């Protein structure tokens, strides 16, 4: 993950976070594990469905929403730790690109 920090003022920091594909795949797998117990796929017991089928049978809007929430939370936390920053208020997040 690449993290760039710019400081427009002494009390403000702007983080630009660019995650790697491996980090995003890990977050995606974690998100699909969340849906694994709720998705019903014929021929499989609850919680025993393969991840590939969970992804196909999950509402894509719900999956994207949960993925974004999870990715932002994890990547933001990691960026703060790596740059040793302590925020005093909630971040203002702008998503530049999501495919």
């Amino acid at each position: 993950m690449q993290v760039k920090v710019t400081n427009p003022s002494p009390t403000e920091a702007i983080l630009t976070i660019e995650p790697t594909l491996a980090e995003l795949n890990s977050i995606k797998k974690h998100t699909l594990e969340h849906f694994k117990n709720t998705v019903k796929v014929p021929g499989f017991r609850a919680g025993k469905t393969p991840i590939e089928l969970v992804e196909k049978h999950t509402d894509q809007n719900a999956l994207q929403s949960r993925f974004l929430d999870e990715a932002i939370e994890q990547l933001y936390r990691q960026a703060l730790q790596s740059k040793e920053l302590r925020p005093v208020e909630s971040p203002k997040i702008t998503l530049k690109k999501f495919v």
Side-chain angles (χ1 to χ4, degrees):
M1 168 173 57
Q2 288 184 331
V3 180
K4 296 177 190 171
V5 180
T6 55
N7 294 356
S9 72
T11 60
E12 186 178 11
I14 297 175
L15 297 174
T16 303
I17 302 169
E18 293 181 30
T20 63
L21 185 59
E23 289 170 323
L24 293 177
N25 285 336
S26 172
I27 295 168
K28 181 179 178 182
K29 183 178 178 185
H30 182 266
T31 303
L32 287 170
E33 289 291 333
H34 170 76
F35 285 102
K36 192 173 188 175
N37 293 327
T38 59
V39 171
K40 297 188 188 302
V41 178
F44 293 95
R45 294 183 304 209
K48 302 295 182 182
T49 308
I51 292 293
E52 298 80 26
L53 292 177
V54 171
E55 184 175 3
K56 288 181 182 177
H57 288 85
T58 301
D59 176 36
Q60 293 302 305
N61 290 331
L63 178 61
Q64 285 180 354
S65 176
R66 177 76 180 204
F67 173 79
L68 281 175
D69 291 343
E70 195 73 31
I72 289 170
E73 177 188 338
Q74 285 186 22
L75 296 172
Y76 177 66
R77 186 172 14 90
Q78 289 174 4
L80 290 178
Q81 289 175 351
S82 71
K83 297 299 180 180
E84 298 179 355
L85 297 173
R86 294 184 307 161
V88 293
E89 69 175 318
S90 298
K92 296 173 182 84
I93 298 172
T94 305
L95 188 63
K96 298 275 183 176
K97 181 179 177 183
F98 177 68
V99 179

